[in-house]
């Protein structure tokens, strides 16, 4: 491979630019970390190419080092071909460049309102429901089954974020969410084309200490414990990730943490 030889070509359409550009840039960013790509980065193109093409590895890392937040609303809108009911080829090919990478479903904020059961069955007959005040009713044609087929086709690993809250502007009783959790575990095993791979991690909720939620630790712990029990009842081997407060979002309002 020469310094002038292109190693990857990406056609960036408007709706797909952010993720595709991010995926394509990762090898170059890694090389910059090794060689230093400051203001003179263009002048160091040959050094970067040499670093990337060097036959012996600098250091071996596990494939899960690369992780991508699969923000479902945006991914479905930008990367999912509704006509073929399959992902567009560009993102799939770029994902295949990172075998073993981790994909977080259904993403971040949407996890707290996501109805997993509304994302199964015939896509044309799935119910539409509200998830954000600016989005209007949304039909989830890229559900957990489609996600698992897509990720397995890219040789990726699944990371699932369970719903501890409920629906848009409606908190559900914890018993209802426990029942939903047990059904989700069964669905994942049923719909996964490679069920022996399992789910890498089950995460409990997303940023429930901030935004419109502002849950106190006591509430989060109580709900997380209940969902954990339901999860472990359905899958005793499940590996669970809990949320931690990253900054003093509740310091002034609830006297938690350092208000300064």
């Amino acid at each position: 491979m020469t310094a002038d030889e292109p190693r990857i070509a990406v056609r960036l359409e408007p709706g797909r630019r952010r993720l595709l550009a991010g995926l394509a840039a990762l090898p170059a960013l890694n090389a910059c970390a090794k060689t230093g790509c400051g203001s003179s980065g263009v002048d160091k193109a040959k050094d970067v190419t040499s670093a990337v093409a060097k036959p012996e590895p600098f250091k071996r890392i596990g494939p899960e080092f690369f992780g991508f937040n699969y923000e479902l609303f945006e991914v479905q809108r930008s990367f999912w071909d509704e006509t073929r009911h399959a992902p567009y080829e560009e993102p799939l090919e770029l994902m295949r460049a990172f075998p073993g990478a981790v994909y977080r479903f259904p993403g971040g904020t949407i996890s707290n309102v996501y109805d997993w059961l509304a994302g199964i069955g015939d896509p044309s007959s799935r119910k539409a429901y509200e998830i954000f005040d600016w989005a209007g009713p949304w039909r989830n044609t890229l559900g957990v089954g489609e996600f698992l087929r897509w990720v397995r086709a890219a040789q990726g690993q699944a990371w699932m974020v369970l719903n501890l809250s409920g629906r848009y502007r409606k908190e559900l009783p914890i018993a209802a969410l426990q029942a939903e959790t047990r059904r989700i575990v069964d669905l994942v095993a049923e719909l996964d084309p490679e069920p022996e791979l399992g789910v890498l991690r089950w995460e409990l909720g997303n940023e429930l200490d901030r935004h419109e939620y502002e849950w106190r630790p006591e509430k989060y712990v109580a709900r997380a414990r209940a969902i954990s029990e339901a999860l472990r009842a359905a899958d005793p081997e499940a590996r669970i990730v809990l949320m931690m407060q990253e900054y003093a979002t509740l310091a002034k309002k609830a006297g938690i943490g350092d208000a300064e």
Side-chain angles (χ1 to χ4, degrees):
M1 181 181 292
T2 67
D4 298 325
E5 182 181 352
R7 292 179 300 285
I8 186 166
V10 182
R11 178 169 56 88
L12 298 178
E13 297 181 2
R16 309 174 195 170
R17 186 174 296 113
R18 183 167 55 186
L19 178 60
L20 298 185
L23 287 169
L26 281 171
L29 289 173
N30 185 53
C32 286
K34 302 295 183 183
T35 62
C37 294
S39 59
S40 59
V42 175
D43 297 331
K44 297 183 179 180
K46 292 185 178 181
D47 293 336
V48 173
T49 301
S50 175
V52 173
K54 193 172 182 179
E56 66 274 12
F58 291 107
K59 181 180 180 181
R60 294 191 181 278
I61 57 176
E64 63 276 3
F65 177 84
F66 293 103
F68 302 93
N69 189 40
Y70 203 94
E71 187 63 44
L72 185 56
F73 181 82
E74 293 293 344
V75 170
Q76 178 178 307
R77 185 167 65 172
S78 302
F79 304 114
W80 189 248
D81 187 338
E82 299 284 357
T83 303
R84 295 170 49 246
H85 199 58
Y88 291 110
E89 288 300 321
E90 297 100 324
L92 178 57
E93 287 306 310
L94 286 169
M95 289 165 66
R96 283 174 173 154
F98 301 92
V102 179
Y103 298 88
R104 183 176 182 248
F105 178 93
T109 306
I110 193 175
S111 302
N112 300 326
V113 298
Y114 184 59
D115 184 347
W116 290 69
L117 303 184
I120 61 174
D122 180 2
S124 63
S125 62
R126 294 176 189 177
K127 73 173 184 180
Y129 64 103
E130 285 191 278
I131 52 171
F132 305 121
D133 55 5
W134 48 267
W138 174 71
R139 179 175 285 107
N140 181 203
T141 56
L142 170 51
V144 62
E146 290 85 2
F147 163 77
L148 287 166
R149 290 196 296 273
W150 185 353
V151 167
R152 298 312 186 201
Q155 301 177 38
Q157 302 185 71
W159 177 300
M160 305 296 194
V161 187
L162 291 172
N163 188 341
L164 270 63
S165 178
R167 302 293 180 259
Y168 177 68
R169 293 183 177 172
K170 181 182 180 182
E171 188 172 295
L172 293 180
I174 191 61
L177 292 173
Q178 284 181 301
E180 182 175 273
T181 296
R182 291 189 288 268
R183 178 69 177 122
I184 289 167
V185 175
D186 292 340
L187 271 176
V188 168
E190 174 187 337
L191 297 174
D192 193 341
E194 299 181 66
E196 68 279 1
L197 297 179
V199 174
L200 182 66
R201 295 288 188 275
W202 293 90
E203 184 178 353
L204 306 187
N206 177 81
E207 296 183 351
L208 290 161
D209 60 337
R210 64 199 74 172
H211 307 311
E212 67 268 33
Y213 302 101
E214 294 188 350
W215 284 9
R216 289 184 60 90
E218 297 87 347
K219 179 175 182 178
Y220 176 76
V221 169
R223 289 211 152 211
R225 180 181 289 118
I227 296 299
S228 295
E229 290 171 354
L231 177 58
R232 283 276 166 76
D235 179 7
E237 303 300 318
R239 291 170 290 182
I240 297 173
V241 175
L242 298 176
M243 184 193 79
M244 303 248 340
Q245 187 171 326
E246 296 179 27
Y247 56 92
T249 54
L250 301 178
K252 294 182 179 179
K253 289 189 177 181
I256 298 173
D258 184 3
E260 298 299 323

